[in-house]
Amino acid sequence: STLQLPGNFDDAGSYYCLVSGDCGNDIQSMSSIVTVNTLTQILSHPESLIEMCVDQGVIYLEVEAAGTNLEYQWYKDGFEIAGATNSFYTFGSDLYNSGSYHCVVSGSCGEIQSNHSTVIIHPETEIYNQSQNNIIACEGETFNLFVEATGSNLTYQWFKDESQLEGENTATLQFSGDPLESGLYYCTVTGDCGDIVVSSELEVLVKQNAFITVQPEESVLLCENNGFINLSVEAVGYGLSYQWVKDGVFIENANSANYEFEGLLTNEGVYYCIVSGDCNEVISNNSFVSIIQATALIDQTFIDIEICEKTDKHLLEVVPVGTNLIFQWYLNDQPIQGATDKKHWVESELEYS
C-alpha cells in the first residue's frame, strides 16, 4: 500500500494505485504528480582575491548556482548587504569597500554558502608626514630624517644634492654627525597606485668641531728690544674665534690666529690660545717665551782714582745686568790675565777700564 521513491529525476511523473480484492471490482486511487527538484549547489565561486587601486574601476563578484527557486544574498564582513540579491554583485573601488565578501544561495532543496572573496582596495601613494625643519647639528651628533606614507608595496629612495644615495631605501635616513653629510636631502616614495611622490627638500648642516692643526712654538727665546715675537695657531672648524692668554690672563684685543708683541722683559711668560667654535672649545699647547735682558752697566765704583805707589790698593767693581755675563778687565787697552770677575783690585797708579 506504500511506494518508496529514491528521488531520482527518473522518478518524476504521475502515479496512482490500483486496489483489487476477492469481492468486487478493482478500485483506482487518485493520481499524484511527483516532481523531483534539483539540490541547491554552487557551480563556481567568486574570485578568492581581488586587488585594485582606489577609484580605478568597478569590482564584479559572481556565483554560478544550480537548483530550484534560487535566491541570493551577498554579505560583507559577515553583515548582510541590503539589496544585494542577485547572482552577481558590483561596487566601486572605494577604500571603505575593502573587506571579505560571500554569497548565500537558497533554493527549494537547501541553502549553501559560497567561498569568501577578499577585496583589497589600495590607496594612492601619498606622503602624509615628514621631517619639517632644516637641521643644524654639531659634529658627532646623531639625528635622522623621515617620511611617513600610505600606499601599497611602498619603496623609498633618498637623495642628497640631487644624487641617489645607494642603499638608503627605508622611510628613515640616519645621520652619524659627519660634516661631510651636509647638503640638501629629499626622498621619493613609489607604490602600486599613483605617481611617484617626492618629499620636501631639507637642508642639513653639520658643523665641524674646532680642532687645532698647527700648535704655537713650544719655546721662544729673544734678546730684549731685539724685535717682535709672533705666536700663531692654525685651526679648522665652524664659526672660529680666538683668544690669547698670558700667564692665565686674557690678553686684550688678542683675538686672531696670530699674536705679535715686542720683545720686552715684561712680555716674558707662558702663552696659549683658546680656539672657540660653534660646537666646542679647544686650548692650544703652551708656548714658553723667554726674553734675555740686554747687557748693561747700572753702576760702577770708580771713575778716575789716585793711589800711592806700593802702599795703597783700590777695589774696582762694576754692577752689570744681562744673561751669561763674561768679564775681562783691561789695562791701557790690553787685557789683564786672570782679571775675569766683576771685581778687580789695583795697587799702582795705572789706567784701567
Side-chain angles (χ1 to χ4, degrees):
S1 62
T2 301
L3 177 65
Q4 297 287 340
L5 297 176
N8 296 323
F9 286 115
D10 291 342
D11 295 329
S14 177
Y15 291 80
Y16 65 90
C17 181
L18 182 64
V19 181
S20 300
D22 291 340
C23 300
N25 296 324
D26 294 342
I27 301 173
Q28 180 178 320
S29 70
M30 295 179 60
S31 295
S32 176
I33 298 175
V34 174
T35 302
V36 179
N37 291 326
T38 304
L39 287 176
T40 304
Q41 58 183 313
I42 292 178
L43 304 178
S44 65
H45 293 268
E47 292 183 61
S48 61
L49 176 65
I50 297 176
E51 295 187 69
M52 186 176 290
C53 292
V54 64
D55 299 328
Q56 291 299 303
V58 174
I59 295 170
Y60 183 85
L61 301 177
E62 183 180 18
V63 293
E64 183 181 349
T68 305
N69 297 322
L70 296 181
E71 294 181 354
Y72 302 87
Q73 178 61 60
W74 287 91
Y75 291 80
K76 174 179 181 280
D77 298 329
F79 295 95
E80 185 178 295
I81 303 173
T85 55
N86 293 317
S87 61
F88 61 89
Y89 178 53
T90 60
F91 51 94
S93 54
D94 300 304
L95 289 176
Y96 58 79
N97 283 332
S98 291
S100 178
Y101 292 79
H102 72 273
C103 183
V104 174
V105 182
S106 303
S108 298
C109 294
E111 179 180 284
I112 190 169
Q113 178 178 301
S114 75
N115 295 342
H116 285 259
S117 177
T118 300
V119 175
I120 301 174
I121 309 299
H122 295 295
E124 282 194 355
T125 304
E126 180 181 5
I127 294 174
Y128 66 89
N129 191 22
Q130 61 182 304
S131 299
Q132 298 296 317
N133 301 313
N134 296 329
I135 293 179
I136 299 177
C138 290
E139 183 177 358
E141 292 181 4
T142 58
F143 55 93
N144 64 66
L145 296 176
F146 73 92
V147 293
E148 293 179 351
T150 56
S152 174
N153 294 325
L154 298 180
T155 59
Y156 304 85
Q157 180 60 62
W158 287 92
F159 291 79
K160 176 193 175 191
D161 298 330
E162 302 298 332
S163 296
Q164 181 174 303
L165 294 174
E166 185 176 353
E168 298 298 345
N169 308 117
T170 64
T172 301
L173 180 62
Q174 300 285 347
F175 290 80
S176 63
D178 188 330
L180 295 177
E181 293 173 326
S182 297
L184 296 174
Y185 290 82
Y186 65 87
C187 182
T188 60
V189 183
T190 306
D192 289 341
C193 301
D195 298 327
I196 297 174
V197 291
V198 183
S199 71
S200 300
E201 188 174 63
L202 294 177
E203 181 178 6
V204 170
L205 173 61
V206 180
K207 297 180 178 181
Q208 184 179 19
N209 288 338
F211 179 76
I212 296 174
T213 57
V214 178
Q215 299 283 350
E217 291 184 66
E218 182 178 356
S219 62
V220 178
L221 185 65
L222 183 69
C223 291
E224 181 185 10
N225 300 320
N226 197 30
F228 287 83
I229 296 171
N230 187 286
L231 301 178
S232 65
V233 294
E234 293 183 17
V236 294
Y238 200 93
L240 295 181
S241 61
Y242 303 86
Q243 177 61 62
W244 286 92
V245 180
K246 173 180 179 284
D247 297 331
V249 178
F250 283 13
I251 303 171
E252 188 176 356
N253 298 323
N255 306 118
S256 68
N258 301 292
Y259 178 52
E260 187 176 74
F261 53 94
E262 289 188 77
L264 304 176
L265 287 175
T266 54
N267 286 335
E268 185 173 79
V270 179
Y271 292 78
Y272 60 87
C273 184
I274 300 173
V275 182
S276 301
D278 284 358
C279 296
N280 67 321
E281 180 179 280
V282 289
I283 298 175
S284 75
N285 296 341
N286 288 333
S287 180
F288 298 90
V289 174
S290 300
I291 306 297
I292 301 174
Q293 189 175 24
T295 303
L297 288 176
I298 59 175
D299 195 11
Q300 62 184 45
T301 59
F302 63 93
I303 300 179
D304 293 325
I305 61 173
E306 293 183 3
I307 60 173
C308 296
E309 182 182 6
K310 297 182 179 181
T311 59
D312 291 336
K313 63 178 181 179
H314 189 78
L315 177 65
L316 303 180
E317 182 179 7
V318 293
V319 182
V321 291
T323 303
N324 297 325
L325 298 178
I326 298 174
F327 301 91
Q328 177 62 61
W329 288 90
Y330 288 78
L331 172 60
N332 296 326
D333 294 329
Q334 296 298 316
I336 303 171
Q337 187 175 1
T340 56
D341 189 63
K342 67 177 182 178
K343 297 179 180 181
H344 182 63
W345 292 91
V346 295
E347 299 180 352
S348 59
E349 186 178 355
L350 299 171
E351 182 178 351
Y352 285 83
S353 62

